[in-house]
Amino acid sequence: MLIEKVELGESLVRITVRTAAGVAVRCPGCGQSSGWEHSRYVRQVADEAIGGRPVRISVSVRRLYCENAVCPRKTFVEQIDGLTERYQRRTPALRRIVEAVAVALAGSAGARLLATLHHTLSSVSVLSRLMRIPLPNRPIPKVVGIDEFALLRGRYVGWQVICRHLNVWDCGIPAGRRARACWAEHRKRAQALQERPSQVVWPRQ
Ligand SMILES: [Zn+2]
């Protein structure tokens, strides 16, 4: 990557970079390297603020042909480690900041904090980013149980699945069939683990 220009404005830092020509890059479809250039275009990505000024980076990237005849991707766009990600208008560093703020504060409060950090996003955009964060893998419960509850003096009766060994509610779903299916799945996994299956808690009759 070549840095061509750095412009320091009153309210913005603009950096212009371009990727080097002739460098082979792996196709994301098949993994085969290719340096056969199809075209170039300029991407705009936002980065972490410097000295209280937001940073915009203009990146000239290549679209390359994939030389693998059986690859379904005839062309692909190169990505730069630490700077660009597919479909992202922010650098990975800035994306992580936005995600951390979204997780901690969600919409309006998150947008206000990001504005203080010199990143202007609407509350809807912060929520949208929050909804796109993949959920972490949950541990498979080894001991599960199912409980029942009533709302509004018995007008609604539901079931809840409980991970007893973690001492947390695994899910609380006021819909009998769905909760039972969830419990059955957890029980199946617990049995598959073959770790003290006798501790599996059975539902009350
Ligand atoms: Zn390919």
Side-chain angles (χ1 to χ4, degrees):
M1 185 179 72
L2 307 170
I3 299 175
E4 293 188 321
K5 195 165 38 173
V6 178
E7 298 166 274
L8 189 60
E10 283 195 11
S11 59
L12 186 74
V13 177
R14 185 172 290 283
I15 301 170
T16 306
V17 301
R18 67 184 286 117
T19 56
V23 177
V25 178
R26 282 185 184 278
C27 166
C30 65
Q32 183 170 317
S33 295
S34 170
W36 184 11
E37 187 171 323
H38 172 281
S39 56
R40 271 188 181 271
Y41 73 98
V42 176
R43 289 182 62 177
Q44 305 292 337
V45 290
D47 196 13
E48 294 176 86
I50 297 175
R53 297 176 177 129
V55 175
R56 296 288 177 273
I57 306 175
S58 300
V59 194
S60 172
V61 291
R62 296 174 296 165
R63 178 174 287 279
L64 300 160
Y65 288 106
C66 178
E67 299 180 54
N68 183 353
V70 296
C71 178
R73 303 185 67 155
K74 302 303 175 197
T75 64
F76 63 94
V77 175
E78 63 182 344
Q79 303 296 335
I80 305 169
D81 275 349
L83 188 63
T84 63
E85 292 178 319
R86 200 175 179 203
Y87 301 133
Q88 293 294 322
R89 290 176 298 166
R90 301 180 186 92
T91 60
L94 180 55
R95 175 182 55 76
R96 285 193 290 272
I97 290 173
V98 172
E99 289 177 353
V101 170
V103 168
L105 298 172
S108 300
R112 287 197 295 274
L113 177 57
L114 286 168
T116 306
L117 297 172
H118 308 285
H119 304 301
T120 305
L121 270 84
S122 69
S123 57
V124 174
S125 297
V126 177
L127 284 177
S128 171
R129 186 65 250 172
L130 176 62
M131 298 302 287
R132 289 203 296 269
I133 299 173
L135 293 173
N137 288 328
R138 306 177 72 181
I140 299 172
K142 296 184 178 68
V143 182
V144 295
I146 192 165
D147 204 353
E148 58 197 357
F149 64 91
L151 295 173
L152 299 176
R153 298 188 180 186
R155 281 179 62 192
Y156 301 100
V157 178
W159 296 84
Q160 291 177 317
V161 178
I162 310 160
C163 304
R164 294 270 166 100
H165 82 295
L166 293 175
N167 197 27
V168 295
W169 299 103
D170 187 50
C171 55
I173 306 166
R177 278 187 195 171
R178 199 170 156 206
R180 279 181 179 279
C182 189
W183 168 78
E185 176 62 24
H186 285 165
R187 182 182 144 214
K188 194 169 70 178
R189 290 181 182 184
Q191 287 177 332
L193 285 171
Q194 295 183 342
E195 289 181 8
R196 303 171 75 182
S198 62
Q199 284 195 14
V200 174
V201 179
W202 295 87
R204 284 185 285 169
Q205 299 299 316

